[in-house]
Amino acid sequence: MATRHFLTLLDLSPEELNHLIQRAITIKNRLKAQGPTYTPFTNRTLAMFFEKSSTRTRVSFETAMAHFGGHALFLSPRDTQLGRGEPIGDTARVLAEMVDIVMIRTFSHAGLEEYAAASQVPVINALTDDYHPCQLLADVMTWTECRGSVKGKTAVWIGDGNNMCHSWINAARQFDFRLRICCPPGYEPNADLVAAAGDRVEISHDPQQAVQGAGLITTDVWASMGQEEEQAKRERDFDGFQVTEALLDRAADSALFLHCLPAHRGEEISTTLLDDPRAVVWQEAGNRLHAQKALIEFLLLGKVDD
Ligand code: CP
Ligand code: NVA
């Protein structure tokens, strides 16, 4: 089987992505019923490169490999030769001689692509400055669990046109739902990505209008990792873009709220929003484990249907 990578949601077909969501739900239900008895990757190894901080991503990938009977290696630039200038391609070739699959959280998406191009084993994007596709697997899984098929439904992104927003755009395209992006002027997502999504995606600047009747509202921090020095300016620029209970009241009665987390209470969300029953963020965070198990299984074994 040719090596498949997961650098963005566009690396899998819509049919494969829908399979992955259903498979993640099956894997989750079996784990709840039977415990971690499914061990297809005994003694297999996942290498995890983290150039940025993480709680959910690290714990979910590491736990996924433990449940699967395998092992995960935490690697950081501070204590690998990558951090001392060993070329990305050389590192990729060496790792492929030893491990079965690789996960990378880094700044440059081009750097991730360079690694993947040299890797004979699957490479998973665990967040770059441009995309966070693993989070969208968990988000679409959560939306599906709560409300059935997402096809034709409407989600609203409030906030920065950042890596998460870009992955929501790709998700709208691949899972065939509508996405309203509502951002302050100057914080729009990549125009080419928006254009490629066609009429599924629209951009506006008024949160009160954007959420009207929508089935799902989501947001993210105003300053992402690597943008810390812009925090004060962004707090000013995003004034009026906080997601509150009152804003959710303008959406559909059945509306859900998602946030990839970590959240900054009192900034992009009201201090109490995560306690609102419409917020399903803990389920969403937990689904990182199940969705990534389905992803690892798919990349190593292809479609599994049992
Ligand atoms: N949502 C997410 O990726 O969280 P971490 O940064 O904690 O991994
Ligand atoms: N946009 C955020 C997501 C964190 C999971 C960041 O890149 O920091």
Side-chain angles (χ1 to χ4, degrees):
M1 196 173 73
T3 304
R4 300 282 300 268
H5 302 302
F6 185 65
L7 308 189
T8 77
L9 288 165
L10 305 183
D11 285 332
L12 269 60
S13 69
E15 190 268 335
E16 288 170 335
L17 286 169
N18 279 301
H19 163 81
L20 220 68
I21 298 301
Q22 291 307 321
R23 182 68 184 153
I25 292 170
T26 299
I27 287 173
K28 176 178 180 175
N29 290 339
R30 284 199 193 146
L31 179 71
K32 303 270 179 210
Q34 303 165 5
T37 52
Y38 178 52
T39 53
F41 301 123
T42 316
N43 299 326
R44 304 273 205 109
T45 304
L46 164 73
M48 308 188 298
F49 284 102
F50 280 99
E51 282 195 273
K52 292 177 174 174
S53 301
S54 169
T55 299
R56 280 144 288 270
T57 303
R58 178 177 178 183
V59 173
S60 54
F61 271 109
E62 205 161 324
T63 302
M65 284 308 286
H67 284 180
F68 274 163
H71 182 68
L73 281 164
F74 177 81
L75 303 166
S76 94
R78 282 176 297 285
D79 41 41
T80 57
Q81 300 290 3
L82 202 52
R84 295 181 59 250
E86 183 165 13
I88 289 174
D90 291 0
T91 304
R93 287 182 188 89
V94 169
L95 268 281
E97 295 288 328
M98 302 183 196
V99 308
D100 300 281
I101 186 162
V102 173
M103 182 234 83
I104 300 176
R105 170 168 285 197
T106 189
F107 293 86
S108 159
H109 193 77
L112 175 76
E113 289 175 332
E114 185 183 347
Y115 188 107
S119 177
Q120 295 296 309
V121 300
V123 175
I124 296 171
N125 178 0
L127 184 147
T128 62
D129 287 347
D130 296 331
Y131 299 99
H132 194 6
C134 288
Q135 183 66 51
L136 261 293
L137 294 181
D139 291 6
V140 173
M141 177 184 172
T142 308
W143 194 8
T144 305
E145 283 181 315
C146 294
R147 297 287 181 263
S149 170
V150 305
K151 189 175 163 73
K153 293 200 164 78
T154 299
V156 183
W157 172 269
I158 308 277
D160 189 19
N162 64 11
N163 47 7
M164 275 297 302
C165 181
H166 289 162
S167 285
W168 270 98
I169 293 169
N170 282 343
R173 191 169 154 185
Q174 297 290 72
F175 290 100
D176 197 13
F177 61 83
R178 306 188 77 79
L179 179 66
R180 301 178 193 154
I181 295 167
C182 184
C183 59
Y187 291 93
E188 289 82 2
N190 180 297
D192 293 338
L193 270 186
V194 174
D199 60 8
R200 287 193 195 85
V201 174
E202 60 189 63
I203 298 186
S204 64
H205 303 292
D206 179 354
Q208 305 292 326
Q209 287 289 330
V211 300
Q212 295 270 4
L216 184 136
I217 314 297
T218 187
T219 188
D220 188 13
V221 292
W222 292 336
S224 287
M225 289 182 277
Q227 298 173 333
E228 288 79 5
E229 74 290 350
E230 297 175 32
Q231 177 70 31
K233 173 176 168 28
R234 283 171 174 261
E235 280 179 29
R236 290 192 298 276
D237 292 347
F238 283 81
D239 187 32
F241 283 77
Q242 185 181 83
V243 181
T244 63
E245 290 89 331
L247 191 68
L248 294 190
D249 289 345
R250 301 174 69 90
D253 289 344
S254 60
L256 297 171
F257 174 73
L258 294 178
H259 190 311
C260 64
L261 305 178
H264 291 181
R265 289 173 172 80
E267 291 180 25
E268 79 275 6
I269 54 166
S270 61
T271 53
T272 50
L273 191 69
L274 299 188
D275 303 320
D276 188 284
R278 291 168 289 189
V280 287
V281 297
W282 315 122
Q283 180 178 340
E284 176 190 9
N287 281 343
R288 293 291 303 277
L289 170 66
H290 316 295
Q292 288 156 201
K293 278 184 173 174
L295 176 65
I296 293 167
E297 182 193 62
F298 177 81
L299 293 174
L300 290 178
L301 300 179
K303 268 176 82 171
V304 176
D305 278 314
D306 69 326

